[in-house]
Amino acid sequence: MSTQRGTQSLPTSDKNTLNLTFSFPIPYNGTKPQVTATVQGSIGTYKVQDVVITPLQFKFGVTRTDQTNGWTEEPQLEWTAVGREVPPAEGTQVIEKSSSNTADITVKFPSTIDPAPKKIFAWVIGDFFSQITYAVQMGSINSSGFQCTVKRTDTTSGWDESPSLFWTIIQK
């Protein structure tokens, strides 16, 4: 479990209720964290309500309860979230033997990644004593996985080993 905390200035409002969304600095791992939020630093009285939590952000309403109009100051929202953060996404997949010098590979993420990654770095390492070299050309990427083509670069023949494709997400 991990705790994240933050303080955000709320904008001024001419209305009694203001709806806002704040993103977590580090997203949570597929589960909604528990969030508590209060408004501080104001002469007014405020209520935080209608909190909607996702692994990426929380949405909420702030209502001034001591009067019916808005506020001209910038009170502070203090929030705390407790849950599991998303670790850096990375993985390994064994590639089957191939009679040709290329193989199309489909990799499934252990869980859906939303939003889908924009860039993934992937490389292949053969058996321990292997002299074979490989290149990886990335294909399509979506929230459930990616496709790539592995090519043997030291010759035009296939391979009899079972190399491993390593990957890591480098940009979300």
Side-chain angles (χ1 to χ4, degrees):
M1 294 301 248
S2 175
T3 301
Q4 296 184 54
R5 291 181 172 83
T7 302
Q8 305 287 332
S9 292
L10 298 177
T12 60
S13 177
D14 57 355
K15 296 179 183 174
N16 193 31
T17 298
L18 185 63
N19 293 310
L20 299 165
T21 300
F22 285 138
S23 296
F24 297 116
I26 301 171
Y28 284 91
N29 188 15
T31 59
K32 296 178 196 174
Q34 294 179 344
V35 175
T36 56
T38 59
V39 177
Q40 304 292 325
S42 172
I43 57 171
T45 306
Y46 298 84
K47 179 179 179 182
V48 178
Q49 59 195 14
D50 302 325
V51 178
V52 177
I53 304 165
T54 72
L56 302 175
Q57 64 191 7
F58 65 103
K59 298 176 183 183
F60 59 96
V62 173
T63 301
R64 184 157 185 182
T65 59
D66 63 328
Q67 63 184 30
T68 58
N69 54 352
W71 54 91
T72 57
E73 58 198 7
E74 292 185 5
Q76 301 291 307
L77 177 80
E78 294 181 5
W79 60 270
T80 302
V82 178
R84 285 189 332 223
E85 294 173 355
V86 176
E90 58 188 13
T92 306
Q93 181 168 317
V94 174
I95 301 171
E96 300 292 322
K97 298 174 182 178
S98 178
S99 58
S100 73
N101 73 330
T102 63
D104 292 324
I105 308 296
T106 299
V107 174
K108 299 272 187 214
F109 297 137
S111 61
T112 300
I113 299 174
D114 190 28
K118 293 180 182 166
K119 193 166 187 181
I120 296 175
F121 180 64
W123 65 100
V124 175
I125 298 177
D127 295 340
F128 186 71
F129 292 108
S130 175
Q131 299 296 313
I132 298 175
T133 58
Y134 301 92
V136 178
Q137 180 179 1
M138 293 303 297
S140 64
I141 301 171
N142 59 48
S143 60
S144 61
F146 66 92
Q147 294 181 334
C148 65
T149 299
V150 173
K151 182 176 182 178
R152 183 171 178 176
T153 58
D154 61 314
T155 186
T156 58
S157 64
W159 55 86
D160 286 332
E161 62 183 12
S162 296
S164 293
L165 173 75
F166 294 86
W167 59 269
T168 186
I169 294 174
I170 57 176
Q171 184 181 18
K172 280 191 175 183

